[in-house]
Amino acid sequence: MSDTTSIVIFGASGDLTKRKLVPALFSLFCKDRLPEDFQLIGMARTDYDSEAFRNQMKSAMQEFAPAKFIEDEWDRFAEKVHYVCGDFGEEHARVELRERLRATEEANGGRANRLFYLATPPSVYESALVGLGETGLAQQDRGWRRVVIEKPFGRDLASAHHLNEVAHQVLDEEQVYRIDHYLAKETVQNLLVFRFANSIFEPVWNRLYIDHVQITVAESVDVGHRGRFYDGVGVMRDMFQNHILQLLSLVAMEPPASFNSNDIRNERVKVLRSLRPMRKREVAENSVRGQYRGYLDDPGVAEESKTATYAALRLFIDNWRWTGVPFYLRSGKALAGKTTEILIQFRSVPHLMFPMEPGEQIRPNQLELCIQPDEGMHLRFEAKVPDTNATMRSVDMEFHYADAFGPGAIPDAYERLLLDALNGDPSLFTRADTIELAWGLIDNILAAWESDPQPPLAIYEPNTWGPKEADEFIAADGRAWELGCAGRRS
C-alpha cells in the first residue's frame, strides 16, 4: 500500500466515526499498516473546519479509546486529517470534495486510490452512490475505488435488491464492501481455522455425530432512546438477517477450495441456498416471537406495537452434511446477560456399557464457541471420578484468548475491516447474493408473523433469558437451551 490513498468518510460527525472508525484508523496508523501516503477526509453537514474536526476526533479518541491514544503519534496522524463541510447530495459540496481530492492527489502525480465509507443513515446510501457516479469520483482510471457500506443494507428483499442495482450502476461488485462487523471478530474468524486447520474436528462435523446446533446472540440492554428506530426494525431485521445468519453460514459451510475470498464466500452462499424454505404454517411451528414487558413504555414505541424484541427459530439445512440436524437460533433485548455464543451438541453414545442408575444417561459432549465477551472455547467430555467404580463427571478443556495471547490482544473488528478494504480483501464482507438470500428468508418469516391470524406474541420479563414459550418450543424436541459461556459467568 505504497500508493497515495484518500480515505473519505461521509457522515464524519456521527458516533460511528468517533467511536469506531477514527480509533481504528489511528490504531492502524500506529502499527504502520496504513498506506505511506494517505489522507483522511471527513465530510458532513456539521459546521466544522479541518482544525475543529481534528479537535473533535482527538477528544473522541481520549473518551472512547484512551488506551490507544498516544499524543505524539496523534499529532502526526492529525496532519493527514481534513474536513469538508456540506451535504454530498448538493452540487457545491460535491465540487468542494472533488477539488480537495484533486489538490492532494495532483501533488503526487494524479494517481491515487480512494476508499469511500458511508457512515451515514441508510436513507442516504442511494443518493451517495448516485453522487459518486455523477461526479466521476468512483471511476477507476487512476487508481482503485472502493465503497464501504454500513448495515442495514435494505430493510427487506425488495429494498436490498434495489440498492444492489443502484450500486452496480456505479460500481462493479468487487468494489462494494458491505460491512458486518461480526464477521471481523477474531473469534468468528477463528471458526475457519478451528474447523479447517485441525483434523480432529472436521470428520465429526456432520449429521452423523452432531445432534443439534444452538446460536445465541443476547443483549442485556433494552432499546432505550432508540425506540422509534427499533420499532420499525425489530429483532429479525436487527440481528437475524445479518449477524446470526452469517454465524450460521460459517458453522455449516463446506471446506473452501482455498483461502481466496471468492471461494470462502461461495461456500457461505451455498449454506443459505440450502436452508429449507418454510410455508406460513411451518413458520408458526418453527419460531417464537417475544416482547419484553415495558417495551411499549419506551420513548418512540407505538402504543400497541407488536414488534418482536426476541425471537427463536428452528432451521434445517438440506444437504448431505446437515440433513436432519436442527439449528436453533435465538436473540433478544433486555435479557439476563450479554453474550454471543455457538453451541455444538454432539450425539449421545450409542451404547451404555457403564453401570448407571435407572433412567440415568451419559451427558453428551458439547463444544462451546464463545464469540463475546468471554472469547474462547470449551469442550465438555466425561471423566471418571477418582476412587469410584465408574462414576462420571463432566469436565472441560478450555481455551481463552486473554490467557493464550494476553489481555488486549484482540483488536477492534473495525481495524480488520478497514485494513481488508484497503488491501482489497472482501472475505469478511457480504456479497450481493448473500444479502438477498438472507432477506428472502427473513421476509418470509416476517410475512407469516404479520399475516392474519398472527402467531402469539409472548411477553417476557426483562433480565431473564426470554419467554417461557421459547423454552417450551425447544423442549418439545427433547432438548433445552444451554447458557454455555454466559452460564459460566453467572
Side-chain angles (χ1 to χ4, degrees):
M1 292 195 293
S2 58
D3 290 343
T4 298
T5 302
S6 298
I7 303 169
V8 181
I9 301 177
F10 296 118
S13 61
D15 273 359
L16 178 63
T17 304
K18 296 174 184 176
R19 292 173 179 269
K20 296 295 183 181
L21 301 185
V22 167
L25 288 167
F26 179 62
S27 181
L28 291 172
F29 175 78
C30 294
K31 296 174 182 178
D32 290 326
R33 292 180 179 173
L34 289 183
E36 294 176 12
D37 186 9
F38 83 95
Q39 63 170 336
L40 171 60
I41 300 176
M43 186 174 189
R45 290 179 295 181
T46 305
D47 188 16
Y48 293 147
D49 58 17
S50 291
E51 189 59 32
F53 180 65
R54 294 183 192 113
N55 290 335
Q56 284 291 322
M57 295 304 106
K58 180 178 180 179
S59 297
M61 280 293 308
Q62 292 170 325
E63 179 180 356
F64 300 118
K68 295 181 179 179
F69 185 75
I70 305 170
E71 186 82 41
D72 292 343
E73 290 293 301
W74 177 263
D75 292 340
R76 291 200 308 119
F77 178 79
E79 293 174 0
K80 309 272 192 177
V81 177
H82 311 281
Y83 185 79
V84 173
C85 178
D87 182 346
F88 189 61
E90 299 175 356
E91 180 63 24
H92 71 89
R94 296 179 181 181
V95 170
E96 186 174 350
L97 176 60
R98 185 170 59 233
E99 292 306 311
R100 168 77 71 175
L101 288 167
R102 183 177 297 164
T104 305
E105 294 170 358
E106 288 298 331
N108 294 282
R111 177 174 176 79
N113 304 316
R114 294 172 185 167
L115 179 68
F116 298 97
Y117 200 114
L118 305 188
T120 64
S123 59
V124 181
Y125 293 166
E126 182 173 344
S127 63
L129 290 167
V130 171
L132 288 173
E134 291 178 347
T135 58
L137 291 175
Q139 276 189 324
Q140 298 197 99
D141 51 349
R142 309 188 75 179
W144 54 253
R145 307 288 185 261
R146 298 172 190 143
V147 179
V148 180
I149 305 177
E150 271 285 339
K151 84 170 192 75
F153 194 90
R155 72 178 313 276
D156 53 25
L157 177 57
S159 59
H161 179 71
H162 173 72
L163 192 52
N164 278 330
E165 287 187 322
V166 171
H168 292 155
Q169 289 170 7
V170 178
L171 308 158
D172 295 331
E173 175 61 26
E174 57 265 26
Q175 293 177 264
V176 184
Y177 287 68
R178 301 170 192 80
I179 204 165
D180 184 342
H181 68 273
Y182 259 59
L183 287 178
K185 292 182 180 295
E186 286 287 343
T187 40
V188 174
Q189 296 169 52
N190 190 50
L191 270 171
L192 293 177
V193 175
F194 177 79
R195 284 192 57 192
F196 305 128
N198 298 291
S199 62
I200 64 172
F201 295 109
E202 190 58 23
V204 298
W205 208 263
N206 57 59
R207 60 187 171 81
L208 300 178
Y209 297 96
I210 292 177
D211 177 77
H212 73 278
V213 177
Q214 296 182 23
I215 300 178
T216 298
V217 179
E219 297 183 283
S220 57
V221 297
D222 58 21
V223 301
H225 66 280
R226 299 172 67 240
R228 187 177 303 278
F229 164 78
Y230 191 89
D231 204 40
V233 176
V235 69
M236 292 299 294
R237 292 185 176 96
D238 189 41
M239 282 293 178
F240 281 80
Q241 182 274 329
N242 40 72
H243 301 331
I244 296 181
L245 289 182
Q246 294 297 341
L247 293 176
L248 170 66
S249 67
L250 286 171
V251 171
M253 66 188 281
E254 295 296 319
S258 74
F259 203 59
N260 174 276
S261 61
N262 274 333
D263 289 339
I264 293 173
R265 298 204 288 180
N266 285 343
E267 296 303 334
R268 283 167 34 203
V269 165
K270 288 179 185 177
V271 173
L272 298 182
R273 286 198 178 118
S274 299
L275 285 171
R276 183 184 301 173
M278 288 186 280
R279 295 186 291 271
K280 175 183 173 182
R281 174 179 56 79
E282 293 170 326
V283 169
E285 294 171 353
N286 288 281
S287 67
V288 172
R289 62 179 190 143
Q291 186 183 93
Y292 65 80
R293 192 177 304 280
Y295 173 74
L296 298 180
D297 299 325
D298 289 337
V301 173
E303 186 174 345
E304 297 183 359
S305 173
K306 300 297 184 183
T307 297
T309 63
Y310 175 98
L313 298 181
R314 181 198 296 111
L315 298 180
F316 291 92
I317 299 171
D318 289 334
N319 61 20
W320 279 70
R321 182 184 291 266
W322 294 112
T323 291
V325 177
F327 284 72
Y328 298 99
L329 318 178
R330 62 172 173 166
S331 181
K333 292 277 191 184
L335 298 181
K338 176 180 174 61
T339 188
T340 299
E341 54 190 70
I342 301 166
L343 183 135
I344 312 295
Q345 174 91 28
F346 291 93
R347 293 188 180 278
S348 299
V349 295
H351 173 63
L352 295 177
M353 58 172 281
F354 302 100
M356 304 185 74
E357 296 295 327
E360 188 179 1
Q361 298 289 324
I362 296 176
R363 295 183 76 189
N365 301 129
Q366 277 185 355
L367 175 64
E368 300 165 13
L369 306 171
C370 306
I371 307 301
Q372 67 173 10
D374 180 26
E375 294 90 350
M377 301 177 188
H378 301 262
L379 178 61
R380 187 180 79 190
F381 60 97
E382 296 304 292
K384 177 181 175 295
V385 176
D387 201 24
T388 67
N389 182 26
T391 302
M392 286 170 279
R393 193 178 77 185
S394 298
V395 295
D396 281 346
M397 285 196 296
E398 300 183 1
F399 157 71
H400 296 273
Y401 271 85
D403 296 337
F405 301 106
I410 298 181
D412 184 82
Y414 279 90
E415 279 192 45
R416 174 65 187 272
L417 291 168
L418 285 164
L419 184 61
D420 282 357
L422 289 165
N423 279 321
D425 182 357
S427 301
L428 300 177
F429 295 83
T430 309
R431 211 164 57 187
D433 52 356
T434 306
I435 286 281
E436 295 189 18
L437 283 167
W439 272 123
L441 174 73
I442 298 306
D443 276 5
N444 187 47
I445 294 171
L446 289 175
W449 280 4
E450 294 164 4
S451 63
D452 188 28
Q454 290 187 348
L457 180 68
I459 303 300
Y460 63 98
E461 298 297 331
N463 201 35
T464 66
W465 287 108
K468 63 178 177 58
E469 288 83 348
D471 297 331
E472 295 166 354
F473 165 71
I474 194 171
D477 291 349
R479 302 179 176 102
W481 296 110
E482 300 280 350
L483 289 178
C485 313
R488 296 173 195 281
R489 290 194 303 275
S490 61

